[in-house]
Amino acid sequence: MDRGLFIDGAWRFPEALERFDITDPASGEPVGSTLLADAETVDYAVAAAETAAPVMAGLRAEERAAILERAADLIETRVEDMAVLLTREQGKPVADNRKEILFGAKVLRYYAAEALRIGGSLRPAMAAEIKNIVSYHPVGVAAAIVPWNYPVDLYCWKAGPAIAAGCPLIVKSPPETPLAIGMLVDCLNEAGVPDGALADLPGHGPVAGAALARHPRVRVISATASIPAGQDIMRNAAGNLKKLCLELGGNAPLVVMADADLEAAARAAHRRAFSNMGQICITVNRILVDRRVHNEFVAILADLAEGTQLGHGVDAGVEYGPVLNQSVIARVEAHQRDAVDKGARLAAGGKRPAGETYDSGFFYRPTVIDDAPADSLPMTSETYGPLAAVAAFDTDAQMIAMANSLEYGLAAYLYGADLERLWGVADRLEFGGVGINVNDVSELQAPFGGWKMSGIGRELGPEGLDAYLEPKLVKMRVRRA
């Protein structure tokens, strides 16, 4: 499958552009390719979006909602083909991709409903003859940067609120995983997004992403990216003071109290650490365990890691697949080596699996590092791969200090039986989302985003609309009888 760029209501194939080859990370077999957008392409897409902006703004809320509902219907009819294609290009098992894609459809339906709730208010005035009318309006041309780990779902996180608010949207999609996105774009187009109001431009961040971020006629940019990429976006966006919504990196701690159900906590840690092979912004990187149950917990987690069956994600029953590419394996090995050199113990994994099944793919065993020093790479940097590091704590104060010690502040997890105590700990954690006896902090109707260096702004929930809307005050003097 060789795809082009979607601009102004049609797929386009400019011959002068570079093409990027996509291979199956489980087998090394070719899957397809995509054209890569450049700065000139971005200009073309922005011009089309500017033409479409008044059309989008002029759609009634019911019309914008209908587009999103129809797109969700189309996604649901094509989910199996999309899921298999996404597995071929990204590696996640089909079951995980099916879940991702269907959640993306739910996001579109949620913002279809939110489109009908964008209203305004009559605010109090300091004088009796004054009426203060506050209304909300689309900000204008919006841009989005989507990552490769959950490309369809996170595309919907941005397209849903942009369309609901009445903004044309230009997306820099990931060159590593653009094929299932192409099917999503077809769904949105067939659902009735006006020509020019949606552009999809696979490309590299320093080229297409930077061109969007610095473009003077793009009014808002929403990106899911690493912290360095987010910093570059922010610098480039400063030229015209773009609105920003940035969901950036994380190094999530999972805390296990002495009174926790250790089996349940270990299963939750295993799934959140190794689902999608740890290539998730809210994955569990650091596991902080009460010293009284530390050894028992590590033994359970190590057994789970050693028992994890890897395979090609298109095969029935496979729950854990490959990582995306060799750079992920190299990073995991570097973090593992740094921790062990500083005194940590390898409790599970730490190597590539043996066997013909794995020889052509980017497979790595789920890895558990015990007694990880506080200054080791897994405890201080985002591994973004199948590695979890464990350290013990003695007091709540020590544990909270350890959890809060980094620049990251996206997600944290707490496991224990004393909910009053856990709630008190959660209040003191510097993270945008805290899960108590759950290993996920994303919720359709609640805001998702980070504190500190993990981001600016929020996605999901009604807060997800904020980046795409501008408030306006109309202050009016009225005639009094």
Side-chain angles (χ1 to χ4, degrees):
M1 177 182 291
D2 298 321
R3 63 153 285 183
L5 311 176
F6 188 83
I7 306 173
D8 202 10
W11 288 102
R12 305 183 187 276
F13 297 84
E15 294 182 0
L17 293 180
E18 179 185 355
R19 187 166 282 280
F20 183 88
D21 293 326
I22 302 154
T23 58
D24 185 331
S27 67
E29 296 176 354
V31 178
S33 68
T34 182
L35 289 178
L36 295 176
D38 59 11
E40 184 177 346
T41 311
V42 168
D43 286 338
Y44 178 30
V46 172
E50 284 189 299
T51 300
V55 178
M56 280 294 291
L59 292 176
R60 292 180 294 108
E62 292 84 355
E63 294 173 305
R64 299 195 297 270
I67 290 170
L68 293 170
E69 289 283 3
R70 285 195 294 268
D73 290 342
L74 291 169
I75 290 167
E76 288 168 358
T77 65
R78 302 171 189 180
V79 61
E80 292 304 320
D81 289 343
M82 291 176 72
V84 171
L85 184 56
L86 185 52
T87 295
R88 293 284 185 188
E89 58 182 335
Q90 195 268 341
K92 281 201 311 299
V94 169
D96 285 351
N97 285 329
R98 185 184 302 114
K99 180 180 177 182
E100 170 188 343
I101 293 162
L102 290 176
F103 187 76
K106 287 182 180 179
V107 171
L108 297 187
R109 294 194 193 282
Y110 175 78
Y111 282 107
E114 284 296 303
L116 304 177
R117 291 190 277 266
I118 299 173
S121 59
L122 186 65
R123 303 290 177 87
M126 292 183 289
E129 70 275 14
I130 296 296
K131 300 295 183 185
N132 290 321
I133 304 162
V134 177
S135 56
Y136 294 87
H137 304 263
V139 68
V141 177
I145 294 176
V146 173
W148 52 259
N149 61 335
Y150 286 88
V152 173
D153 184 23
L154 293 175
Y155 202 110
C156 292
W157 286 29
K158 301 171 196 312
I163 293 169
C167 294
L169 179 67
I170 303 166
V171 182
K172 190 216 75 69
S173 50
E176 299 89 351
T177 58
L179 302 180
I181 283 176
M183 295 184 69
L184 171 62
V185 170
D186 283 337
C187 292
L188 290 164
N189 182 49
E190 291 174 35
V193 174
D195 289 353
L198 177 66
D200 185 73
L201 311 177
H204 294 306
V207 181
L212 278 172
R214 64 173 175 259
H215 203 289
R217 296 191 299 282
V218 172
R219 294 308 316 167
V220 59
I221 187 162
S222 174
T224 304
S226 67
I227 289 176
Q231 290 170 319
D232 283 342
I233 291 166
M234 196 170 189
R235 281 188 286 266
N236 283 318
N240 70 328
L241 296 180
K242 284 180 180 60
K243 296 183 74 174
L244 294 172
C245 183
L246 304 177
E247 191 266 281
L248 307 178
N251 186 310
L254 183 143
V255 174
V256 181
M257 300 294 197
D259 60 356
D261 179 331
L262 297 186
E263 290 279 355
R267 287 194 300 271
H270 174 268
R271 182 60 183 167
R272 183 49 65 202
F274 304 124
S275 176
N276 198 16
M277 286 291 98
Q279 300 165 128
I280 312 174
C281 57
I282 58 172
T283 198
V284 169
N285 278 89
R286 304 172 284 155
I287 304 176
L288 311 180
V289 187
D290 188 298
R291 194 176 302 278
R292 291 169 289 181
V293 296
H294 168 256
N295 290 340
E296 183 180 356
F297 175 86
V298 171
I300 298 170
L301 180 61
D303 283 346
L304 290 170
E306 291 291 356
T308 304
Q309 298 298 310
L310 305 180
H312 196 305
V314 298
D315 294 338
V318 170
E319 295 182 335
Y320 299 87
V323 300
L324 182 71
N325 54 36
Q326 177 58 35
S327 68
V328 178
I329 293 176
R331 186 169 57 248
V332 171
E333 290 178 332
H335 283 210
Q336 172 186 318
R337 184 168 55 252
D338 179 78
V340 171
D341 287 349
K342 291 175 178 175
R345 177 179 69 89
L346 180 64
K351 59 186 178 182
R352 301 186 188 214
E356 185 178 348
T357 301
Y358 310 112
D359 288 346
S360 299
F362 299 112
F363 290 94
Y364 202 81
R365 293 295 311 169
T367 299
V368 178
I369 298 289
D370 191 20
D371 294 324
D375 63 346
S376 63
L377 285 175
M379 295 292 284
T380 58
S381 302
E382 186 175 25
T383 304
Y384 216 68
L387 186 153
V390 184
F393 69 86
D394 296 297
T395 67
D396 284 4
Q398 181 192 21
M399 172 266 292
I400 291 168
M402 292 167 70
N404 288 340
S405 63
L406 303 183
E407 63 185 358
Y408 304 99
L410 186 58
Y413 312 95
L414 303 172
Y415 277 76
D418 186 340
L419 295 183
E420 184 176 3
R421 177 189 181 195
L422 294 177
W423 194 343
V425 171
D427 279 347
R428 296 172 64 189
L429 293 179
E430 298 167 352
F431 295 84
V434 179
I436 296 179
N437 292 324
V438 294
N439 65 349
D440 188 11
V441 295
S442 58
E443 185 67 40
L444 182 57
Q445 299 193 48
F448 179 90
W451 287 18
K452 300 190 288 189
M453 295 289 281
S454 286
I456 296 171
R458 293 294 182 268
E459 295 186 289
L460 300 182
E463 292 86 352
L465 282 165
D466 290 348
Y468 303 95
L469 293 170
E470 288 281 21
K472 178 184 290 184
L473 167 65
V474 175
K475 185 174 182 178
M476 180 169 58
R477 188 182 304 277
V478 298
R479 187 178 300 115
R480 293 179 58 83

